[in-house]
Amino acid sequence: MVRFAEQEATMLSGLVARLVDRVAGECDRHHLTVRRLLDVGCGPGVGTCLLATRFGNATVVAADGSNAMLDRAVARADELGLTGRVERRLVELPDGIDGLGRADLLWASLVVHHVGDEVDALRRMRALLSPGGLLAIVERATPVRVLPESVELGRPGLWARLDAAWERWFVDLRATVPGVVARAGAADTTGYGAAVRAAGFEVVVDEVVHEELPGPLDDDARRYAAGQVRRTVRQLDGYADAGDLAAWPPCSTVSTSSTVSTSSTPRSAIRARSSGPAANWSSPAPDRPPRPAPNPPHHTNGLTSRPLEVLRSAS
């Protein structure tokens, strides 16, 4: 699990770096000096290290529920010359959020949807933010895609059907989370609008950022693409049309000319206000009309999109 998580994060590190820069720009725009930064659900630390590099004067706290992930996050920081910059905290969500201490910026990438009561978790995060602090939420806007040379594999409408299958898979995934509380847009990992407002946030950034790894793929990217094909076929068994899954080439035939793409936004996830994939989003102020929903991400050859929302406390 650690190996695949780091492989994927490394492949998409260009996207994460763009999200980090986007959030840093919001910090500058709001005159926010980041002295302490929380990376909640840090995984193997790819994003943690990008954050530590970008916010060079900040103490960065890597928090996760897995000791193996934390071991790798700290080791990665050491390998990149960031020794002493990253603190580790073993926490179980959501209760462990409360003990993480105050922060100027809180980064939550691909983690909020793993918590049963998302509004409760967001409220806990809001309580940790210093005045003017931001919360950046990053979630996938669309699934990661590996596109072979024949983009629809002789199956017109393939990608729309697979997207719908992933939505059904996600609904079932959420249903297995302990203490799950239903919310509007439950089939969409980007549907946090009502939740962030209920948690007291104002949205300051809501975007989708797209990343594409065009062919020719190097060996590392090809291995990642093959693993993504295996994961898609395995996880969508029973959700997607068997003919659609059977149309995918065997993993061993993923060619160097394949394309991998993905997106993140605030809608691939930057939302913060006293909170997006990495900035601070917050809910609209009471005297301000709600922001219109962002346009759906435009799909090009490649992986998927990720929303970035940056939030800040509405009060």
Side-chain angles (χ1 to χ4, degrees):
M1 183 64 177
V2 175
R3 182 178 179 182
F4 177 78
E6 185 167 19
Q7 180 188 49
E8 178 174 57
T10 300
M11 284 296 102
L12 303 179
S13 60
L15 180 149
V16 179
R18 288 158 61 198
L19 293 172
V20 169
D21 285 344
R22 183 69 178 87
V23 174
E26 284 303 304
C27 291
D28 290 342
R29 189 169 73 86
H30 291 275
H31 307 291
L32 175 64
T33 299
V34 179
R35 298 182 177 87
R36 191 167 189 268
L37 189 161
L38 301 179
D39 183 3
V40 178
C42 66
V46 174
T48 309
C49 292
L50 288 169
L51 288 162
T53 300
R54 185 64 178 80
F55 295 93
N57 295 319
T59 297
V60 178
V61 179
D64 203 277
S66 164
N67 264 317
M69 290 290 190
L70 290 169
D71 287 345
R72 184 58 202 138
V74 173
R76 185 179 182 89
D78 290 344
E79 292 164 7
L80 295 175
L82 298 168
T83 301
R85 291 284 321 285
V86 175
E87 299 177 2
R88 59 181 289 163
R89 298 288 291 275
L90 181 66
V91 299
E92 290 296 329
L93 302 181
D95 293 343
I97 294 173
D98 301 340
L100 289 174
R102 301 285 281 180
D104 304 298
L105 175 62
L106 196 155
W107 176 278
S109 176
L110 303 181
V111 68
V112 175
H113 69 267
H114 288 295
V115 179
D117 189 338
E118 294 160 312
V119 173
D120 173 68
L122 290 167
R123 284 174 177 152
R124 292 171 187 258
M125 292 179 187
R126 180 174 177 265
L128 299 181
L129 289 170
S130 61
L134 294 178
L135 164 63
I137 302 173
V138 178
E139 292 286 349
R140 292 194 193 281
T142 60
V144 171
R145 290 180 172 178
V146 178
L147 304 185
E149 293 176 85
S150 176
V151 174
E152 289 199 322
L153 302 173
R155 307 274 297 180
L158 171 70
W159 299 108
R161 291 193 298 275
L162 289 180
D163 285 353
W166 275 117
E167 289 182 1
R168 293 190 292 273
W169 174 87
F170 181 76
V171 169
D172 282 357
L173 172 70
R174 281 286 299 162
T176 67
V177 176
V180 64
V181 175
R183 62 171 163 83
D188 177 4
T189 57
T190 71
Y192 287 116
V196 297
R197 287 191 292 273
F201 283 108
E202 175 189 4
V203 178
V204 296
V205 175
D206 190 351
E207 301 174 358
V208 173
V209 179
H210 183 81
E211 180 79 355
E212 179 173 310
L213 307 178
L217 301 179
D218 61 23
D219 289 345
D220 287 342
R222 186 170 176 272
R223 280 192 290 270
Y224 169 68
Q228 188 62 39
V229 170
R230 286 193 295 270
R231 178 175 177 268
T232 297
V233 172
R234 181 180 68 252
Q235 292 188 220
L236 293 188
D237 183 27
Y239 293 93
D241 182 276
D244 287 342
L245 295 180
W248 282 56
C251 299
S252 59
T253 67
V254 171
S255 69
T256 58
S257 60
S258 298
T259 298
V260 176
S261 71
T262 191
S263 306
S264 281
T265 51
R267 214 198 127 143
S268 174
I270 294 178
R271 251 180 222 171
R273 268 195 185 193
S274 213
S275 121
N280 198 81
W281 279 286
S282 52
S283 49
D287 59 348
R288 189 180 310 162
R291 294 168 58 108
N295 294 326
H298 175 67
H299 300 304
T300 62
N301 289 350
L303 289 177
T304 201
S305 38
R306 274 183 173 163
L308 167 62
E309 294 183 72
V310 179
L311 312 173
R312 112 182 132 182
S313 179
S315 59

